[in-house]
Amino acid sequence: MAKLAHLRAVAPRPPATLNGKVPAVPPPRRVPNRERRTREHLTPAEAERLIGAAGKVGRHGYRDSALLLLTYRHGLRVSELIALRWEQVDLKQGLLHVNRLKHGVDSTHPLRGPELRALRKLQRDSPSSPYLFSSERRGPMTAANVRKMTARAGEVAKIGFSVHPHMLRHACGFKLANDGQDTRAIQHYLGHRNIQHTVRYTELSPERFKDFWRD
């Protein structure tokens, strides 16, 4: 009897029910970005370190480094990046046609030397794929692949906080604003339909404060 009583005491209790059903366990609360890091963009130096580190991660370092380079220089969203096809690239003229998503405005961007060299090598390495950045099966990379690769590159580059690819789009906007580029030009470059989305970059630019103190 004592043994039976002991088994009853330690036996697990059935889960509490509501109207005869076990209530679903709520998913863990997503940690807000502000609690993870103090800013959502990278400095130009951090962006360059990230791009360099991507070339040292995994078996496709050259592809991944080129991917982050274009993401940074053209302010691409991940969905725009993985959808890039060779028909959007004119290597002879040095042009990239950017199809913006999220109701953005399409535009044509110039390609500079580092980008052209990287794209020519990618085209030689993957001649049968219609996508700039393809998987081993010649299909487009997935958004999850890009996010994981970027996070690993951020660790190798020792950025100091968790990194995601959209930070490169913000880095592009802040870089152009800090260089004193026209706000309207930045708006069209990033494909913003509403200029208020562009003003955020110029508002945080320190250039307008540089003459406040004269020592």
Side-chain angles (χ1 to χ4, degrees), residues 138-159:
R138 303 304 182 194
M141 292 181 66
T142 66
N145 291 151
V146 175
R147 293 190 184 99
K148 290 177 182 177
M149 179 273 293
T150 305
R152 290 197 303 269
E155 294 173 358
V156 173
K158 298 181 179 179
I159 299 299

Side-chain angles (χ1 to χ4, degrees), residues 41 169-188 190 192 194-210:
H41 70 280
R169 175 172 166 83
H170 292 322
C172 177
F174 284 117
K175 167 71 165 59
L176 297 177
N178 289 338
D179 286 348
Q181 302 296 342
D182 179 71
T183 304
R184 283 288 182 187
I186 299 174
Q187 175 191 4
H188 294 306
L190 294 178
H192 290 152
N194 188 335
I195 199 171
Q196 291 302 316
H197 296 148
T198 314
V199 170
R200 64 184 297 188
Y201 300 117
T202 56
E203 285 178 341
L204 292 178
S205 172
E207 288 301 304
R208 54 185 178 150
F209 306 133
K210 65 180 180 180

Side-chain angles (χ1 to χ4, degrees), residues 22-26:
V22 177
V25 178

